[in-house]
Amino acid sequence: MARQQGSKVRAPTMADVARLAKVSPQTVSRVLNDYEFIKPHTRDRVLQAIDSLDYRPNMAARTLATSRSRTIGVIATDYLSYGPATALWGVEQAAREAGYGVSIVSLRESNYRTMTEALERLASQSVEGVVMIAPQDATAHAAFVSFDEIPVVTLSSYESGVHKPIMLDSAEGSRIATRHLIDLGHRVIRHVSGPAGFTVSESRVQGWRDAASEARLVATEPLVGDWTAESGYVVGKELARDHRATAVYVANDRMAQGVLLALHEAGRRVPEDFSVVGFDDVPEAAYLIPPLTTIRQDFTALGRRCIEAVLALINGEPPLEPEPLIPNLIVRQSTAPPLQ
Amino acid sequence: MARQQGSKVRAPTMADVARLAKVSPQTVSRVLNDYEFIKPHTRDRVLQAIDSLDYRPNMAARTLATSRSRTIGVIATDYLSYGPATALWGVEQAAREAGYGVSIVSLRESNYRTMTEALERLASQSVEGVVMIAPQDATAHAAFVSFDEIPVVTLSSYESGVHKPIMLDSAEGSRIATRHLIDLGHRVIRHVSGPAGFTVSESRVQGWRDAASEARLVATEPLVGDWTAESGYVVGKELARDHRATAVYVANDRMAQGVLLALHEAGRRVPEDFSVVGFDDVPEAAYLIPPLTTIRQDFTALGRRCIEAVLALINGEPPLEPEPLIPNLIVRQSTAPPLQ
DNA sequence: CTTACTATTGTTTGCGGTAACGAAGGAGTG
DNA sequence: CACTCCTTCGTTACCGCAAACAATAGTAAG
């Protein structure tokens, strides 16, 4: 139990354990790997030796011998924002539960080169699979180009014939959000979208258009932001000048926050004069002024699914059919029927 | 350049490269490790062979042979919030620049057992060092108890005789925040602190007390939150009823957001009736209503320092003297002189 | 009492690298 | 010209583990 103190004492190996337990190294290995035909007595001796030497198996050696690293690589372009961070959390939890470790590489910039480098890096660490948290089209694209040696699962909504990503049905979320506004009686509903190049930007715009046209409303051009509160604030000012519109559906909560501020500064009250719906349900959404009505995404579940999917691939099982998760509406105080 | 297609083609090894380049495996190894006495001609042949076989060194084998994994382990109790996530980002970036990979383990619950497990896990992956993102006393504590085989650097503000953590001077940040309010003319300044058990909770309370007593003000008991916006909202209601106080310094931005909402609902205007200062400067702080005056922490720098510190330890250099970073005040619109 | 298994353990080999050592050839030196 | 030293390679052994194969003892079956 007591740890080795002080300097460079070589860590105990299986041979040391074997010697102490008076068995062969292979037997120690068997105990460690839950081989069934071990006498309880022998097992106990080995276990006790392991414990008293404080032996810990050397993953590198095991990986070399088995070419299984029990490690999943994660490539993320961003895990500072709530969504990706939470997904990463889910990935890591699920991975650990499955006995896997997680090695992560982040990309400040995502293009073919950086993607390839990241994959090479992970490949040389012999990761058994890779989860790519890739909100951008370019990133998702890059995933296909490169490896077929290592199973790769993408968390995005980019679809391709090659492999299906784990995703949330963004368009459906959009429809739900927009319909909520329509049901409240809004007729002119604008949209603040994410930037071009992000798959979810597209699909959210699409869902908004769909819901609008179903209700025979015209969807004017969306305003484009870049996911940040700042961009929401900027387009929010423009929105505040639009006196035909009575509601806006914003593609994420952070931009919605900026919109809220711009509206406030322009003297337009939410929800009396203007209804606002966001997307994501970040933990802070409930404490904005006013508390934000939004679409909740279960990022953790998304992350967990990624692991299920890579694991299936790793074990050569048929690839998981990834029916997209359906997000749900959380009604708070930023939406109300229009006044007039 | 072209990748191996399809099924189970054994990845090329150094021997394959050696054969193709007509040299010994050892020479390939030398080229890979920048050994100086290699004829340019030989080096080129090897490099070309590597390229044409698309050879990638096997980290597991290298680790086994050298017992250097070129991997840093990270233990985090939380990387969903902005601070830890950003620190993790800094760690990962700096690690990569130094040629290290990052393997992460998160703890949903941090006590001696989970800490030890995490360290064991990382140790068996032969990480060369560990960075612990440990805001809680308990976690920071656990760091000492365990390993002296592997260098561990803690990102926290828990001090001990054994090793100094990488930290930001929380108390100083508190003083700056509080002095800002004092300078504006506030005489009754309350404090919303983080929960017990977090080192920064303590030191922020301390800084607030210091600044208050310097100015010969009485610091009434702090209100205690748990870092979440929700808890800020709860204590904010209480705060709204305190009509002697004209200002509050909140230990983090998220709680400050909750306070803002509570104040708003109680009809107390910010900053006219009540000034609010936060801590962290999360990206959203600038887009709250009103934009929040706060103390900015450079989490990325903190993360980078952690890597510098572990690296020093790993290379047997004298441990870095970690002069704490000094945060700075960002004045926005949630603070103003008291009315009367 | 053989024979045929089965349960249990040991021995050998190899995973893909690098460290340590050795050796050949050329340059410099007295 | 013999001797030493440096450059540039190759050879051997080993890192810590598990796969493959072998061996032993017991047990059930014939």
Side-chain angles (χ1 to χ4, degrees):
Chain A
M1 268 301 169
R3 297 236 166 273
Q4 302 285 4
Q5 296 291 326
S7 57
K8 317 294 158 219
V9 193
R10 197 178 100 300
T13 74
M14 249 173 55
D16 299 323
V17 175
R19 209 168 307 123
L20 184 61
K22 301 195 199 311
V23 295
S24 74
Q26 184 61 20
T27 299
V28 178
S29 170
R30 286 184 179 118
V31 170
L32 252 26
N33 292 289
D34 291 319
Y35 180 70
E36 63 177 318
F37 301 122
I38 299 276
K39 272 193 186 163
H41 173 65
T42 314
R43 181 191 312 277
D44 289 345
R45 278 218 321 282
V46 171
L47 253 23
Q48 197 187 320
I50 286 177
D51 200 60
S52 82
L53 287 179
D54 204 21
Y55 165 79
R56 218 174 308 110
N58 179 322
M59 278 297 292
R62 183 177 286 183
T63 299
L64 185 58
T66 60
S67 53
R68 300 206 57 183
S69 64
R70 302 233 141 241
T71 300
I72 303 274
V74 174
I75 299 180
T77 48
D78 163 32
Y79 51 83
L80 296 183
S81 1
Y82 176 73
T86 311
L88 176 55
W89 176 267
V91 163
E92 199 257 301
Q93 296 293 316
R96 174 159 24 165
E97 282 164 25
Y100 278 77
V102 166
S103 186
I104 125 171
V105 179
S106 70
L107 268 37
R108 63 279 87 180
E109 194 188 343
S110 88
N111 52 46
Y112 182 79
R113 196 181 51 74
T114 56
M115 272 301 311
T116 309
E117 275 176 21
L119 278 166
E120 300 256 320
R121 229 186 138 74
L122 292 175
S124 92
Q125 289 177 46
S126 336
V127 297
E128 294 182 37
V130 171
V131 170
M132 193 144 37
I133 300 178
Q136 295 188 42
D137 295 350
T139 320
H141 250 109
F144 306 118
V145 213
S146 24
F147 282 38
D148 14 37
E149 313 160 37
I150 302 176
V152 175
V153 165
T154 314
L155 171 43
S156 82
S157 42
Y158 181 86
E159 293 242 17
S160 113
V162 189
H163 73 193
K164 296 212 173 294
I166 303 303
M167 56 188 257
L168 173 126
D169 195 334
S170 256
E172 180 58 18
S174 270
R175 269 176 241 120
I176 295 172
T178 311
R179 272 201 291 265
H180 168 61
L181 292 169
I182 292 170
D183 291 347
L184 286 172
H186 294 278
R187 297 280 139 247
V188 182
I189 300 167
R190 304 213 51 180
H191 175 49
V192 177
S193 79
F198 283 74
T199 351
V200 289
S201 298
E202 287 270 316
S203 55
R204 285 178 198 176
V205 169
Q206 196 51 51
W208 165 68
R209 281 196 208 286
D210 291 353
S213 63
E214 269 172 29
R216 312 208 177 291
L217 301 179
V218 281
T220 49
E221 269 309 284
L223 296 161
V224 180
D226 65 1
W227 303 126
T228 65
E230 183 182 3
S231 72
Y233 179 67
V234 172
V235 302
K237 286 187 192 170
E238 191 176 334
L239 210 52
R241 285 193 297 271
D242 181 347
H243 283 273
R244 293 179 309 112
T246 58
V248 60
Y249 155 56
V250 189
N252 79 338
D253 287 353
R254 272 154 69 211
M255 292 195 293
Q257 183 180 341
V259 168
L260 247 27
L261 178 60
L263 254 22
H264 172 79
E265 289 183 353
R268 304 200 67 181
R269 295 165 305 163
V270 176
E272 295 83 352
D273 305 328
F274 219 107
S275 284
V276 178
V277 180
F279 204 113
D280 279 352
D281 194 30
V282 302
E284 289 76 24
Y287 297 91
L288 290 172
I289 300 177
L292 187 69
T293 294
T294 189
I295 301 291
R296 171 176 295 167
Q297 299 204 57
D298 190 346
F299 289 106
T300 310
L302 240 29
R304 306 190 76 89
R305 284 209 178 182
C306 287
I307 289 298
E308 289 169 20
V310 247
L311 253 33
L313 254 32
I314 289 172
N315 300 327
E317 296 164 17
L320 250 54
E321 258 328 302
E323 34 170 296
L325 287 171
I326 303 296
N328 53 323
L329 177 71
I330 308 289
V331 178
R332 286 196 271 252
Q333 300 163 38
S334 65
T335 50
L339 275 188
Q340 45 233 357
Chain B
M1 268 304 169
R3 296 235 166 274
Q4 302 287 3
Q5 298 288 327
S7 57
K8 316 295 156 219
V9 193
R10 195 179 101 300
T13 74
M14 250 174 54
D16 299 323
V17 175
R19 211 169 305 123
L20 184 60
K22 301 195 201 311
V23 295
S24 73
Q26 183 62 24
T27 299
V28 178
S29 170
R30 287 185 177 117
V31 170
L32 251 27
N33 293 290
D34 292 318
Y35 180 68
E36 63 178 317
F37 301 121
I38 300 276
K39 274 194 187 161
H41 174 66
T42 315
R43 182 192 311 277
D44 288 345
R45 280 217 320 281
V46 171
L47 253 23
Q48 198 187 321
I50 286 176
D51 201 60
S52 83
L53 287 179
D54 204 22
Y55 166 79
R56 217 174 311 109
N58 180 322
M59 278 296 293
R62 183 176 285 182
T63 298
L64 184 57
T66 61
S67 53
R68 301 207 54 183
S69 63
R70 302 235 141 238
T71 299
I72 303 273
V74 174
I75 300 180
T77 47
D78 163 33
Y79 50 85
L80 296 183
S81 4
Y82 176 74
T86 311
L88 176 56
W89 177 267
V91 163
E92 199 257 303
Q93 296 293 316
R96 173 158 27 165
E97 283 163 25
Y100 279 77
V102 166
S103 187
I104 123 171
V105 180
S106 70
L107 267 38
R108 64 278 90 176
E109 194 188 342
S110 87
N111 52 46
Y112 182 80
R113 196 181 53 73
T114 57
M115 271 301 313
T116 308
E117 274 176 22
L119 277 166
E120 301 255 322
R121 231 186 136 74
L122 292 175
S124 91
Q125 288 177 45
S126 338
V127 297
E128 295 182 35
V130 171
V131 170
M132 194 147 35
I133 300 179
Q136 296 188 42
D137 297 348
T139 321
H141 250 107
F144 307 116
V145 212
S146 23
F147 282 39
D148 17 35
E149 313 160 37
I150 301 176
V152 175
V153 165
T154 315
L155 172 43
S156 83
S157 42
Y158 180 84
E159 294 242 16
S160 113
V162 189
H163 75 191
K164 296 213 173 294
I166 302 301
M167 57 187 257
L168 172 126
D169 194 336
S170 255
E172 180 57 18
S174 269
R175 270 175 239 122
I176 295 173
T178 311
R179 273 200 292 264
H180 168 62
L181 292 170
I182 293 171
D183 292 347
L184 285 171
H186 294 278
R187 300 276 81 127
V188 182
I189 301 166
R190 304 215 48 181
H191 176 50
V192 177
S193 78
F198 283 73
T199 350
V200 290
S201 297
E202 286 269 317
S203 55
R204 286 181 197 173
V205 169
Q206 196 51 52
W208 164 70
R209 281 196 208 286
D210 290 353
S213 61
E214 270 172 30
R216 313 208 176 288
L217 302 179
V218 281
T220 49
E221 269 309 285
L223 295 160
V224 180
D226 65 1
W227 303 126
T228 66
E230 184 182 2
S231 73
Y233 178 68
V234 172
V235 301
K237 285 187 192 169
E238 191 176 334
L239 210 52
R241 283 194 297 271
D242 181 347
H243 282 273
R244 292 179 309 111
T246 58
V248 61
Y249 155 55
V250 189
N252 78 339
D253 287 352
R254 273 154 69 210
M255 291 195 294
Q257 182 180 342
V259 168
L260 247 28
L261 177 60
L263 254 21
H264 172 78
E265 289 183 353
R268 304 200 66 179
R269 295 164 304 164
V270 176
E272 294 83 352
D273 304 328
F274 220 106
S275 285
V276 178
V277 179
F279 204 113
D280 280 352
D281 194 30
V282 302
E284 289 76 25
Y287 298 91
L288 290 172
I289 299 178
L292 188 70
T293 294
T294 189
I295 300 291
R296 173 175 294 167
Q297 299 204 57
D298 189 345
F299 289 107
T300 310
L302 241 29
R304 306 189 77 89
R305 284 210 178 181
C306 288
I307 290 297
E308 290 169 21
V310 245
L311 253 35
L313 254 32
I314 290 172
N315 300 327
E317 296 165 18
L320 249 53
E321 257 327 303
E323 35 169 296
L325 287 171
I326 302 295
N328 53 323
L329 177 72
I330 309 289
V331 178
R332 286 196 274 250
Q333 300 163 39
S334 65
T335 50
L339 275 187
Q340 46 230 0

